[in-house]
Amino acid sequence: MIIHWLISLLFAVGAVENYDGDEELSCKRRHGGIPLPLGVFTVQKEGFPDALPAIRTALSHVHTRSCILQGYRLEMIVKDTHCKTSQGMKALFDLIASRPRPVAILGGQCTEVNEPIAMALKYWQIVQLSYAETHAKFASSDSHELFPTFFRVVPGNRNTNMAKCKFVNHFGWKRVGTVKQNDQPRYALPHEALTTRLEHGFGVKIVHTAGVNWEQIETVGAELDELKVCDRFSSSRSSIFFLSSNSCCERDVRIILVDVDEEMAATVICAGYHRGMYGDNYVWILPGYHSDKWLNKTHDNCTAEEMKEAARNHFSVEFALTRRDVDTKIVGNTRAGDVWEEISKLDPNNTWRGYLYDGLWTLAIALSHSMGDNAEFSHHKMIEAIDNSSFQGLTGKVKFANNERLGLVDIKQWSEGQYIPFAMYDGAEDEFKIIESTSKGWSPPLDSTITERRREHISSLLFLAMSLLALIGIFLALIFLLINFRYRNHRFIKMSSPNLNNIIIAGSICTFASVIMLGLDTRIVSPDGFVWLCYMKTWTLCLGFTLSFGAMFSKTWRVHSIFTNIRMDRKAIKDSKLFLILGVLLFIDLCVLVTWAFISPFSYTVTELPHIPEDNIVIIPEVEKCYSSHSGVFQAVLYAVKGVLMILGCFLAWETRHVNVPALNDSKYIGTSVYCCVVMSVLGLSTSVILQERVNEMFSLASFFVIFSTTLTLCLVFVPKVIELARNPVGNEPRAYRRGLMKSVVAKTSQPMSPQPRS
């Protein structure tokens, strides 16, 4: 008896492995045999596929193409559950009451039937193997306690969730958003398991989960808005510190995993279309429905063309109908492709035909392990045999873990009006594979908009060019300083106040130097050094302007004082008074600058400019600035002082426009210089405010205005003196100066006098 049992076991084991293909069956089938009743639950109504053709084919192959169950014969007891709980329970009680009682049950298809039956069968210790049940409740944490004898040969959410995780991980996506249907546990339960596995198993951040349901269908769009990429970058304003404007900008979801039913999927995709959540920058991963009818249905808010565009390149994740390697020899020593063709001819529209075939083989193989001596059936051996199943079936390798089938999952992409295989996951081997032949034309997008902070620096070429011009200006100023010092006793130079000329030159050198300092940044100096640089360029430009313009203003004031009230016996206005005026102007500047430094000192800051969106990248330009909390107040004071000074300078230059004594005050040239300084200062100030966010443009224009006005001032003041020195090196033509003085007096006195009112 023991030898007979061992031989039967060896035959059974040999039957479940792959065959070489040409090996003949060594066993001999006996006609008849002990009947083993097998309950089969089906749904014989319109809209449900007929399960019997595939089951009968599998049963025939078990009996004719294998050596398992020698001496036994499976007999089906078919019961129609009508996909109703009451009818299903009646069918169960009929099977339980029959004699002999079924050793196992294959079916059913509807969750509302499977749940109560599976809960009841544990008391009769009868195994149920479903070929169509995919509900997540049968894989919950308490499913072993509630449904200990329930198995399913079709891959459940454990497989599809792992396929989604592998898919996301393959492309390196670390940020995803999800959409789940709250009112459908069939989708809500696996969705919770999916998000947990993504976060804890793969390190993927679930940015936000949008909940949708039919009772609040109008809120679908609002839920998607929580996922939508923020498009406010283009209108964001610069600020000293980076602050997120709202939660949408923080989320910026591009990879969206959806767990909803077919009709809700169409609503979600339509809502996504109206929010621009489609195209090459988005990836929608939906459940597979083994059908594309939901895409072709008319929708209230979207046309057929809009739905087609919104759904382009989306992915569906669904259990595979059959294995792809059709040449593999499966259980029964038959080519997989041949079996698939055979059962497909019987019912090509039956989604479950492959799992009906493998399900019957699974029960047959498990029964061969659970039948003991004298046809004694062991329930525990039956469960153990199913758990340890491992054979090549029509739907892939048949293997179970925790009553769950580890099977094949297809990932398909919607392209050109049809689903194209894109990737595959094998749960039995835990292998994920991209199908290269069909995935080459698609490029995976980024999982979010990349925020690229780009520090805006002044162009090195521009900085070198402006620095070179500033150095040339400094060199020119030094030449004029040398000439002014060398010929300080020349009558022409002496009458034009050489000391004030030296101050004009010193101020010009300061303004030229400020151009170079204006172009320095942290590429050259440290952040701490940049703060000192803030003080240096501010003080240098301010004091340099005061020295140059103040000296010209003082000289113009002296000419105005002389020629507006001409008295030949009046004492000349000495340079000391002019220095006093200049000293007062410098004192005002120093008071403002020192107060500024103590009350509101400079600090180094990086300021954000308006964001620049470019497809999947948002560029955040940054500029380095000297920040002072009350800089506006002190700048206004300085601008006011300089403004009053320039207005007075323009007035004095206009009043002395008829003075024709170049040796005395360079009146015409200084007036032109004053006008030039006013125009350049106004233009420079306005452009620096307008273009403060465009560092190259601001630097180039500000440097140009400073260099141009300073150079023009130097040339207008000193080039006539150089020409005069070349014409009269000795300075021995005093009569020419007197003639110029008399012409100026005559021009002044010849101006029409306004009539005086009579007393």
Side-chain angles (χ1 to χ4, degrees):
M1 184 66 68
I2 296 177
I3 295 175
H4 175 74
W5 182 82
L6 288 175
I7 292 174
S8 299
L9 179 62
L10 288 174
F11 279 131
V13 172
V16 301
E17 298 296 334
N18 287 336
Y19 295 100
D20 294 336
D22 298 325
E23 184 179 346
E24 296 293 338
L25 294 176
S26 59
C27 61
K28 294 182 180 180
R29 302 298 302 180
R30 292 191 304 173
H31 295 287
I34 301 173
L36 294 177
L38 176 66
V40 177
F41 286 158
T42 64
V43 181
Q44 301 294 326
K45 60 186 296 187
E46 186 177 356
F48 289 84
D50 188 2
L52 294 179
I55 295 177
R56 291 193 181 103
T57 302
L59 187 60
S60 174
H61 290 181
V62 168
H63 287 160
T64 61
R65 300 184 183 183
S66 73
C67 299
I68 63 175
L69 292 177
Q70 275 198 312
Y72 299 96
R73 183 182 73 257
L74 286 174
E75 291 186 350
M76 294 190 301
I77 304 175
V78 180
K79 294 293 182 180
D80 186 2
T81 65
H82 300 278
C83 203
K84 295 180 180 180
T85 304
S86 59
Q87 294 291 335
M89 293 305 294
K90 180 181 182 301
L92 173 63
F93 293 145
D94 290 343
L95 288 177
I96 297 299
S98 63
R99 291 294 181 270
R101 183 178 295 171
V103 293
I105 296 176
L106 179 62
Q109 187 172 341
C110 304
T111 302
E112 55 268 31
V113 174
N114 290 333
E115 183 177 10
I117 289 178
M119 295 179 67
L121 284 177
K122 66 181 178 180
Y123 298 106
W124 285 286
Q125 296 185 340
I126 298 177
V127 170
Q128 179 186 2
L129 180 66
S130 175
Y131 57 84
E133 183 57 75
T134 58
H135 201 291
K137 66 173 62 179
F138 295 99
S140 61
S141 58
D142 58 351
S143 60
H144 273 290
E145 181 180 351
L146 295 174
F147 321 109
T149 63
F150 180 84
F151 293 82
R152 50 185 174 185
V153 71
V154 62
N157 64 280
R158 172 176 177 171
N159 296 266
T160 54
N161 280 352
M162 183 58 73
K164 293 175 184 178
C165 293
K166 294 280 188 178
F167 184 70
V168 170
N169 185 68
H170 177 80
F171 293 109
W173 295 323
K174 293 299 181 182
R175 299 176 73 259
V176 301
T178 63
V179 180
K180 73 172 180 179
Q181 190 168 347
N182 296 326
D183 57 354
Q184 281 284 358
R186 178 179 294 274
Y187 298 100
L189 290 178
H191 188 86
E192 294 174 1
L194 171 64
T195 55
T196 300
R197 184 178 291 274
L198 280 172
E199 288 187 320
H200 299 289
F202 292 85
V204 177
K205 180 182 179 182
I206 307 300
V207 179
H208 180 71
T209 295
V212 297
N213 57 74
W214 285 110
E215 291 184 358
Q216 298 177 323
I217 191 65
E218 69 279 356
T219 64
V220 171
E223 290 292 333
L224 292 186
D225 285 335
E226 296 296 322
L227 300 173
K228 188 176 181 294
V229 58
C230 180
D231 56 1
R232 296 178 174 84
F233 292 121
S234 59
S235 61
S236 61
R237 304 300 303 166
S238 60
S239 58
I240 297 171
F241 302 105
F242 175 74
L243 294 174
S244 176
S245 59
N246 56 45
S247 59
C248 291
C249 296
E250 293 177 353
R251 285 170 179 162
D252 184 19
V253 173
R254 298 298 181 93
I255 314 302
I256 307 170
L257 292 93
V258 182
D259 276 311
V260 298
D261 61 34
E262 295 180 57
E263 293 184 6
M264 181 63 76
T267 302
V268 170
I269 291 296
C270 178
Y273 174 82
H274 290 293
R275 283 153 182 80
M277 301 172 68
Y278 65 94
D280 295 335
N281 293 332
Y282 286 89
V283 174
W284 290 84
I285 304 174
L286 278 67
Y289 308 111
H290 294 96
S291 171
D292 58 5
K293 293 180 180 179
W294 66 276
L295 280 170
N296 299 322
K297 291 181 179 179
T298 58
H299 198 277
D300 294 339
N301 298 322
C302 288
T303 64
E305 290 298 322
E306 290 173 342
M307 285 294 295
K308 180 180 178 181
E309 179 63 22
R312 181 173 58 88
N313 288 338
H314 81 270
F315 292 91
S316 70
V317 182
E318 59 191 18
F319 60 83
L321 297 183
T322 185
R323 64 191 309 149
R324 295 192 176 279
D325 47 340
V326 295
D327 294 326
T328 300
K329 290 295 184 64
I330 62 173
V331 63
N333 195 30
T334 309
R335 182 176 171 271
D338 295 337
V339 177
W340 181 252
E341 289 180 6
E342 182 179 355
I343 63 174
S344 295
K345 288 179 181 178
L346 299 174
D347 189 358
N349 297 321
N350 190 342
T351 303
W352 317 104
R353 57 190 183 275
Y355 295 98
L356 286 163
Y357 186 88
D358 284 347
L360 188 72
W361 272 100
T362 301
L363 290 177
I365 293 171
L367 282 170
S368 70
H369 288 282
S370 58
M371 299 302 294
D373 298 335
N374 301 322
E376 293 180 358
F377 173 75
S378 173
H379 165 75
H380 297 291
K381 287 184 179 180
M382 181 74 170
I383 292 179
E384 183 179 354
I386 295 178
D387 278 334
N388 296 328
S389 295
S390 180
F391 65 91
Q392 295 295 339
L394 185 59
T395 58
K397 187 174 183 179
V398 178
K399 189 175 181 180
F400 293 85
N402 298 323
N403 295 26
E404 283 279 305
R405 167 73 185 278
L406 303 179
L408 299 177
V409 177
D410 285 338
I411 299 177
K412 299 180 179 180
Q413 187 178 38
W414 181 258
S415 178
E416 298 181 358
Q418 62 179 338
Y419 280 113
I420 298 176
F422 187 91
M424 183 190 70
Y425 172 70
D426 187 351
E429 304 295 339
D430 193 26
E431 292 181 353
F432 178 84
K433 182 173 64 175
I434 296 291
I435 302 174
E436 299 294 339
S437 59
T438 58
S439 61
K440 291 181 179 179
W442 180 78
S443 298
L446 301 174
D447 59 7
S448 65
T449 302
I450 292 180
T451 301
E452 179 182 337
R453 295 184 176 273
R454 182 179 298 174
R455 189 66 56 87
E456 298 289 334
H457 292 293
I458 296 171
S459 169
S460 299
L461 182 62
L462 177 62
F463 172 69
L464 291 175
M466 290 301 175
S467 298
L468 179 62
L469 292 178
L471 290 174
I472 293 174
I474 292 174
F475 179 73
L476 180 64
L478 292 176
I479 293 176
F480 288 148
L481 179 64
L482 180 63
I483 294 174
N484 192 68
F485 181 79
R486 171 68 177 80
Y487 297 97
R488 63 186 181 279
N489 293 321
H490 189 282
R491 177 182 292 274
F492 193 89
I493 302 297
K494 191 172 184 179
M495 290 184 66
S496 66
S497 302
N499 293 329
L500 288 175
N501 292 339
N502 292 338
I503 293 178
I504 293 175
I505 294 173
S508 300
I509 293 175
C510 289
T511 55
F512 282 130
S514 69
V515 171
I516 300 176
M517 289 184 283
L518 187 63
L520 297 176
D521 50 43
T522 53
R523 292 177 298 177
I524 301 174
V525 299
S526 64
D528 293 335
F530 188 84
V531 175
W532 287 105
L533 193 64
C534 294
Y535 288 104
M536 291 175 62
K537 59 187 178 183
T538 302
W539 285 50
T540 303
L541 181 60
C542 181
L543 296 179
F545 178 86
T546 300
L547 287 173
S548 298
F549 194 87
M552 290 188 295
F553 174 82
S554 300
K555 293 175 67 174
T556 308
W557 173 80
R558 178 168 61 183
V559 174
H560 180 270
S561 299
I562 293 174
F563 287 93
T564 54
N565 187 15
I566 302 175
R567 291 188 309 177
M568 302 306 296
D569 58 341
R570 183 178 179 180
K571 295 182 179 180
I573 299 176
K574 296 183 178 181
D575 288 350
S576 58
K577 290 187 178 181
L578 304 185
F579 282 115
L580 179 61
I581 296 174
L582 185 59
V584 171
L585 297 176
L586 288 174
F587 178 75
I588 295 174
D589 280 352
L590 289 173
C591 288
V592 176
L593 293 173
V594 171
T595 305
W596 187 354
F598 276 98
I599 294 179
S600 181
F602 282 116
S603 61
Y604 168 77
T605 58
V606 177
T607 302
E608 281 189 10
L609 302 183
H611 301 176
I612 305 173
E614 295 182 359
D615 292 332
N616 288 323
I617 300 177
V618 171
I619 300 174
I620 303 179
E622 297 176 335
V623 294
E624 301 170 340
K625 285 189 177 183
C626 304
Y627 174 70
S628 173
S629 57
H630 298 90
S631 60
V633 176
F634 293 99
Q635 287 177 355
V637 173
L638 289 175
Y639 293 155
V641 173
K642 307 298 182 188
V644 172
L645 183 62
M646 287 189 292
I647 292 174
L648 292 176
C650 290
F651 171 75
L652 295 178
W654 177 260
E655 287 292 309
T656 58
R657 66 188 182 281
H658 297 292
V659 176
N660 191 22
V661 189
L664 183 62
N665 79 318
D666 320 306
S667 175
K668 291 184 179 179
Y669 302 121
I670 288 181
T672 305
S673 299
V674 170
Y675 298 144
C676 175
C677 286
V678 171
V679 174
M680 293 295 104
S681 298
V682 172
L683 291 177
L685 177 61
S686 58
T687 53
S688 63
V689 172
I690 296 173
L691 300 175
Q692 59 179 336
E693 298 176 350
R694 304 175 67 89
V695 291
N696 284 316
E697 291 82 350
M698 183 192 70
F699 174 73
S700 59
L701 289 177
S703 300
F704 169 76
F705 290 140
V706 171
I707 293 174
F708 179 79
S709 60
T710 305
T711 304
L712 183 63
T713 298
L714 285 174
C715 292
L716 289 174
V717 172
F718 291 99
V719 168
K721 294 177 176 54
V722 173
I723 295 174
E724 181 64 23
L725 289 174
R727 190 182 66 83
N728 184 18
V730 182
N732 53 3
E733 297 183 6
R735 293 183 179 179
Y737 307 141
R738 292 194 184 97
R739 285 196 301 270
L741 179 62
M742 293 306 298
K743 289 181 181 179
S744 300
V745 173
V746 172
K748 181 68 179 178
T749 55
S750 63
Q751 292 182 4
M753 302 295 292
S754 58
Q756 299 293 330
R758 296 182 179 180
S759 58

